[in-house]
Amino acid sequence: GRVASAQPKEGTDFMPLTVDYREKTYSVGKIPGGFFKREAKAKNSEILVSRLIDRTIRPLFSDFWRNDTQITATVISHDCVNEAAIISIIGASIALKLSNIPFEKTVGAVRIGRIDGKLIVNPTLEEQEKSELDLVVGGTADALTMVEAGASELSEQEMLNALNLAKEEI
């Protein structure tokens, strides 16, 4: 199916892309009660994942694509052990590839952590709390399109090792 407008948006000199990532509370077995019976605006963590998806896929669209395009990633089931952000980036790429939108390459994404000096690919939520590194990388087999990192005093070589591992995994 189509997930973009049929015609380009007139008067725009940018790619009008909207990414909406949402984690439903029922995905972990919780049903909102009391005053908040429905889930309202996006949480900060959901906005950050939406940005990760956007920044990973946006560079891969044609420079001439000006059609309104919307991606919605909704977590409807969650194991509370692994995170959903990385698979949401990959899922958005697959959905675009299967659509009739001119999106030629698929992307991979990975989170790299570091505990006790050892690099970990896609650490669990519990491992992320202990990690000295939080590196999220997205890209194709040819190039990285997005890198976001936070770390506790890593050397340049340690960061390069983490980036190389991420590229291998992608």
Side-chain angles (χ1 to χ4, degrees):
R2 181 171 273 288
V3 292
S5 62
Q7 299 297 320
K9 190 172 185 174
E10 290 188 33
T12 59
D13 59 351
F14 63 93
M15 194 246 171
L17 174 64
T18 302
V19 178
D20 187 26
Y21 170 87
R22 294 295 178 102
E23 297 172 343
K24 297 297 184 181
T25 56
Y26 61 75
S27 70
V28 293
K30 296 179 182 176
I31 307 297
F35 181 74
F36 297 103
K37 297 221 185 284
R38 296 189 184 157
E39 299 174 70
K41 69 176 194 152
K43 299 178 284 195
N44 285 342
S45 60
E46 293 170 326
I47 292 168
L48 293 174
V49 174
S50 295
R51 289 178 183 166
L52 290 176
I53 295 169
D54 182 301
R55 289 179 19 227
T56 301
I57 63 173
R58 184 178 290 271
L60 299 172
F61 282 92
S62 163
D63 291 340
F64 305 104
W65 184 253
R66 297 289 183 261
N67 301 43
D68 277 318
T69 306
Q70 182 177 7
I71 295 170
T72 303
T74 306
V75 179
I76 57 174
S77 180
H78 194 273
D79 65 3
C80 296
V81 174
N82 300 288
E83 68 161 339
I86 299 302
I87 197 70
S88 296
I89 295 169
I90 296 167
S93 167
I94 292 168
L96 285 166
K97 184 71 174 161
L98 293 174
S99 76
N100 59 353
I101 293 173
F103 190 80
E104 299 304 316
K105 297 184 176 188
T106 54
V107 300
V110 66
R111 183 178 297 270
I112 304 291
R114 184 173 178 264
I115 299 175
D116 298 327
K118 183 180 178 206
L119 295 174
I120 300 169
V121 176
N122 291 328
T124 64
L125 294 170
E126 186 179 318
E127 288 172 329
Q128 286 179 36
E129 291 177 17
K130 300 181 229 170
S131 182
E132 306 151 356
L133 170 66
D134 185 19
L135 173 67
V136 179
V137 181
T140 67
D142 303 324
L144 302 180
T145 57
M146 187 276 304
V147 175
E148 182 169 296
S152 300
E153 298 184 25
L154 288 181
S155 71
E156 188 174 319
Q157 186 58 52
E158 290 168 319
M159 188 57 115
L160 285 172
N161 291 343
L163 282 168
N164 285 331
L165 177 59
K167 181 147 180 36
E168 287 174 28
E169 290 296 319
I170 288 172

